[in-house]
Amino acid sequence: MAKYQKPVLFYQGNCGNDAARVALVSVSVESALLGYGVEIYHKVLSQLEKKYNCSLYDCYKHPECLNEILKTLPRNSRYKITQSIRNGLEEFSYVKPVSKFLDTLDS
């Protein structure tokens, strides 16, 4: 019987390349925003660019920027988008940077 092994994608050793995690988080955020509506998607991207000079890809390392933009949305919208992001990343929450990203969204 094969022993359970974490996916290589999330290797926690000396591998400094976290491009796969950046892409995973970015796609989850993008999907959640688009799931709520194209207008919200464009509004969030525009605000990220305008306020923080960053994109969705930068949100992985700076989730506080996304969190601040989401706080400007109506409470119900913010909750649904955050919940959708959390659902999309739930199975990867054992990875410390992903867990930190999710915790920052909840603050």
Side-chain angles (χ1 to χ4, degrees):
M1 183 180 262
K3 197 174 170 185
Y4 173 77
Q5 185 178 15
K6 287 183 182 177
V8 174
L9 181 68
F10 297 109
Y11 175 69
Q12 297 292 319
N14 293 327
C15 181
N17 183 359
D18 58 358
R21 286 179 249 172
V22 171
L24 176 70
V25 168
S26 299
V27 167
S28 292
V29 172
E30 187 173 45
S31 176
L33 292 171
L34 286 170
Y36 204 77
V38 176
E39 281 184 32
I40 294 287
Y41 173 77
H42 287 298
K43 179 179 180 178
V44 170
L45 262 65
S46 172
Q47 289 297 314
L48 282 170
E49 177 66 33
K50 210 182 294 184
K51 260 186 142 174
Y52 301 104
N53 195 29
C54 70
S55 69
L56 285 181
Y57 289 103
D58 300 314
C59 292
Y60 173 73
K61 290 189 178 178
H62 302 286
E64 64 279 358
C65 297
L66 178 62
N67 191 34
E68 289 302 314
I69 299 299
L70 292 178
K71 285 181 179 178
T72 66
L73 300 176
R75 185 173 175 86
N76 192 39
S77 302
R78 183 177 80 222
Y79 172 78
K80 287 181 179 180
I81 291 168
T82 303
Q83 194 60 38
S84 179
I85 294 169
R86 180 168 286 291
N87 290 342
L89 295 173
E90 184 176 18
E91 72 178 283
F92 303 103
S93 62
Y94 68 90
V95 178
K96 193 168 190 153
V98 174
S99 176
K100 181 183 173 209
F101 174 85
L102 292 171
D103 290 344
T104 302
L105 285 185
D106 289 338
S107 63

